[in-house]
Amino acid sequence: MRTIIAVSIAAGSFIILADRSQAADRDGGAQLAAMCASCHRLDGGDGGIPTILGMSPEMLARAMLAYRSRERPSHIMRAIALSLSDEEIATVARYLAALNK
């Protein structure tokens, strides 16, 4: 009986922590995406600047890292990529990918 109770408590704690982590990821992604939205429209519109909606998280993260390393040319995007940590890039990439679903 004690084992069942211990496992239940551990599972409940894991679920609560995972839910908080996802909420923090969403909130952080929304804040970072606000920076993106200053140029890239988050409604899918183009206006001469490529849309970032519909990109997979992996594709968007690779693009940001390519700007950072100068594999892709853009002074503005390089400056933005340099201002973000790898984790922030991953967070905003996940957030933007989820917007398109």
Side-chain angles (χ1 to χ4, degrees):
M1 185 66 164
R2 287 183 178 181
T3 304
I4 293 172
I5 293 171
V7 169
S8 296
I9 291 171
S13 298
F14 177 75
I15 291 169
I16 290 169
L17 292 174
D19 188 47
R20 285 184 184 163
S21 175
Q22 289 174 352
D25 199 38
R26 250 189 332 272
D27 293 345
Q31 290 175 355
L32 293 167
M35 177 175 51
C36 303
S38 65
C39 295
H40 298 274
R41 292 179 48 184
L42 298 184
D43 63 1
D46 171 308
I49 296 175
T51 185
I52 52 178
L53 290 180
M55 294 177 77
S56 70
E58 296 80 17
M59 183 183 217
L60 186 57
R62 273 195 312 266
M64 292 298 291
L65 295 174
Y67 285 120
R68 185 190 292 170
S69 67
R70 294 188 174 161
E71 290 174 42
R72 292 180 85 164
S74 173
H75 294 294
I76 293 170
M77 287 305 303
R78 182 165 194 274
I80 292 168
L82 285 170
S83 75
L84 299 172
S85 69
D86 290 349
E87 183 56 37
E88 288 171 324
I89 288 172
T91 298
V92 75
R94 286 189 301 268
Y95 175 82
L96 290 169
L99 283 182
N100 200 41
K101 293 181 179 178

